Amino acid sequence: MSSSLGKVNMGLVMGLAIGAALGGLLFGYDTAVISGAEEAIVHNFVTPRTDLTEVARNSLAGTAIGIALLGCVLGSLIAGPLSTSLGRRAGMLIAAFLFFASSILSGYPELGLAPIGGLGVEGLTPFMIYRFIGGVAIGMASLISPLYIAEIAPAKQRGLLITFQQIAIVGGMLLVYFVNLKIAESGTDEWVLSTGWRYMLASAGIPAALFFLAAFLMPDTPRWYVMKQKEDKARKLLSELNDPQEAQATMDEIRGSLSEHSGKLFSFGVGVVVVGVLLSVFQQFVGINAVLYYAPLMFKNIGSGTDQALFQTVLVGAANVVFTLVATFTVDHWGRKPLLILGALVMAVSMAALGILFQQKQEGTLLLYAAMLYIAGFALSWGPVVWVLLAEMFPNSIKGKAMAIAVAAQWISNYIVTWSFKVIDGDSALNATFNHGLNYYIYAAFSVLAAVFVWKFVPETKGRTLEAIESLWKKS
């Protein structure tokens, strides 16, 4: 929206932004819930397969844990065209329904096929199918939610409001860390492996239901209404969000930005798409979801018990929330580039420290501190700021297509990290030398590369309207 703001109805704007950001809650909740269930999934479905080699079992385990991420790739690819044809709101409703169904069925994959627990290791196949469907829902929400927020937010508050998405993500993580801990405390370690993991996964249906309700009550965005020649609805919504003069100015900007180009993916050049894709790739290759998915395993590798590992994971989640909130208040003041570069350097140092601590077999609080420092660096920067940039950097006429590609690249990269972590961390030969530390050295190197990439190639978008950002990419 225009930067020359008139009277903005921030109550309505924030209400819509919070409703859309619940899509991030699905991602956060799912990321953390699988960390609590990871050991049980491997124990029930992978370890009994004694006919497989160590590498094959580790690869199967990584695939089982990360299969939802492949669903996210598909979800992010179809979300752009779907949100363009059916609307941002309809896309969110579909995502919420799919995630609700997959949450229940992932916890009880035998439903309709056999008694609970009756499939044995063969239960892995329906489990992975349901997790994949859940991933489709998360991939859709991960694209549509920040897109919705960017399209209803005034330019001066857009960075702040899009960080609501990341706050919802980390809030969902912290919430389910507590849920996992409380479920684990309800029984023995053996009970968690046999039954408790089912409660963990099924509980994800709760945020899915909340997201569905919120999306049901929300309108679509002014930009989508204009795209579909529903200008009366667009004008009415803009008048509710701003004063009449500002609403008309925004309508004119939207019409101009949507009609100026044909909408071909590279109509603004290749550079804008490449930068968006590489931002997504680096966001994952710095190792964040290896830490978030496998935090309990990481702490167990240094001798923590189940409850202690889950409690330490709660502390990591708390650090994630605190520093995401810091980013909320700095992204529109410090700018996007300084935060990304600072965060990448903090992550590089802390990941290198984790690698050294594991390799030297250090136990105790030093590893916890290094993990929390890493989380702080990510939450302050690459967690929320990449979503802000992806939502605002692409010109309107290619936004759906470009975001679909960038977010798909993000999920593919996430899957590679999630799968490879399990393979590398479980390799006996590598552990003889690095003692579970090699992964962290790799993530430290990618963090340094991420800082250099932002410094050289990413433009600053702070305070610019979505329409003004287009001028950064126009061919001369």
Side-chain angles (χ1 to χ4, degrees):
M1 291 184 181
S2 173
S3 60
S4 56
L5 291 172
K7 183 180 179 182
V8 177
N9 185 347
M10 284 305 296
L12 177 58
V13 171
M14 291 186 68
L16 294 176
I18 291 171
L22 289 175
L25 196 69
L26 304 188
F27 173 29
Y29 204 98
D30 185 77
T31 296
V33 78
I34 200 67
S35 74
E38 179 266 336
E39 184 180 5
I41 293 164
V42 174
H43 173 81
N44 291 308
F45 299 131
V46 179
T47 301
R49 299 172 185 257
T50 54
D51 56 314
L52 299 179
T53 65
E54 178 186 63
V55 172
R57 283 198 301 273
N58 289 336
S59 180
L60 180 61
T63 302
I65 301 305
I67 189 69
L69 302 172
L70 294 181
C72 291
V73 176
L74 176 60
S76 62
L77 287 173
I78 66 175
L82 188 147
S83 67
T84 297
S85 59
L86 300 182
R88 284 48 163 148
R89 173 179 176 268
M92 291 189 287
L93 286 169
I94 293 170
F97 174 78
L98 290 177
F99 191 78
F100 178 84
S102 72
S103 299
I104 305 302
L105 293 171
S106 295
Y108 297 91
E110 305 90 347
L111 281 176
L113 302 173
I116 302 303
L119 291 179
V121 295
E122 299 307 318
L124 183 61
T125 298
F127 170 82
M128 291 174 67
I129 291 172
Y130 299 139
R131 288 289 297 162
F132 182 89
I133 293 172
V136 172
I138 297 169
M140 291 174 60
S142 71
L143 184 148
I144 298 173
S145 290
L147 178 60
Y148 184 98
I149 297 170
E151 291 186 350
I152 57 95
K156 289 185 177 179
Q157 287 82 26
R158 191 174 57 246
L160 166 66
L161 293 171
I162 295 176
T163 58
F164 284 8
Q165 165 87 353
Q166 188 66 18
I167 291 171
I169 291 174
V170 298
M173 290 177 186
L174 182 58
L175 173 63
V176 77
Y177 284 148
F178 277 111
V179 172
N180 285 349
L181 177 61
K182 291 303 178 183
I183 290 174
E185 290 176 344
S186 300
T188 63
D189 288 358
E190 290 73 23
W191 176 82
V192 173
L193 293 176
S194 65
T195 304
W197 68 276
R198 298 180 185 273
Y199 298 161
M200 293 177 183
L201 291 172
S203 71
I206 298 172
L210 292 174
F211 184 43
F212 185 92
L213 177 62
F216 182 79
L217 298 173
M218 291 157 56
D220 221 301
T221 71
R223 284 180 175 82
W224 185 78
Y225 285 139
V226 173
M227 285 170 57
K228 296 301 177 180
Q229 289 79 50
K230 298 180 179 181
E231 294 199 2
D232 288 344
K233 288 187 175 182
R235 188 175 291 105
K236 181 176 183 295
L237 179 56
L238 286 170
S239 297
E240 293 173 356
L241 295 171
N242 298 287
D243 61 32
Q245 182 179 358
E246 183 66 23
Q248 186 58 50
T250 303
M251 280 286 293
D252 294 339
E253 285 185 347
I254 293 172
R255 287 196 201 98
S257 65
L258 291 175
S259 63
E260 185 176 353
H261 289 271
S262 66
K264 292 181 180 179
L265 181 61
F266 298 119
S267 57
F268 286 83
V270 177
V272 60
V273 179
V274 172
V275 169
V277 168
L278 288 178
L279 277 170
S280 291
V281 170
F282 277 118
Q283 189 197 45
Q284 299 306 314
F285 278 12
V286 296
I288 181 59
N289 283 308
V291 175
L292 295 176
Y293 274 68
Y294 297 114
L297 174 62
M298 179 175 71
F299 292 120
K300 285 188 176 183
N301 282 339
I302 59 168
S304 298
T306 298
D307 289 353
Q308 184 182 10
L310 289 173
F311 176 72
Q312 290 168 323
T313 302
V314 168
L315 296 180
V316 169
N320 204 1
V321 171
V322 169
F323 283 93
T324 298
L325 290 173
V326 172
T328 298
F329 296 103
T330 56
V331 67
D332 281 326
H333 297 287
W334 292 11
R336 284 52 160 158
K337 288 186 70 166
L339 281 174
L340 289 177
I341 293 171
L342 172 64
L345 295 177
V346 170
M347 289 188 293
V349 171
S350 51
M351 275 297 184
L354 280 170
I356 293 170
L357 290 170
F358 271 109
Q359 189 169 3
Q360 294 182 349
K361 300 182 180 180
Q362 296 289 323
E363 298 184 7
T365 57
L366 282 179
L367 188 139
L368 176 61
Y369 290 155
M372 292 178 70
L373 178 63
Y374 169 81
I375 289 293
F378 182 85
L380 181 68
S381 57
W382 285 79
V385 177
V386 168
W387 288 112
V388 171
L389 281 169
L390 291 181
E392 67 185 8
M393 68 183 286
F394 296 123
N396 282 333
S397 57
I398 66 167
K399 189 183 292 288
K401 297 175 184 176
M403 276 198 74
I405 293 173
V407 176
Q410 186 174 124
W411 292 118
I412 292 171
S413 303
N414 192 335
Y415 175 78
I416 292 171
V417 171
T418 303
W419 172 82
S420 64
F421 181 93
K422 196 70 178 175
V423 173
I424 294 172
D425 189 72
D427 190 287
S428 301
L430 291 175
N431 286 335
T433 302
F434 296 100
N435 190 43
H436 303 288
L438 179 58
N439 276 309
Y440 306 104
Y441 290 134
I442 295 172
Y443 305 144
F446 274 110
S447 297
V448 173
L449 290 174
V452 174
F453 165 72
V454 172
W455 174 46
K456 288 286 189 180
F457 299 108
V458 177
E460 181 58 72
T461 58
K462 180 185 73 170
R464 297 175 183 264
T465 67
L466 295 181
E467 289 68 34
I469 292 171
E470 290 191 6
S471 64
L472 298 174
W473 305 107
K474 285 182 179 178
K475 295 179 181 179
S476 57

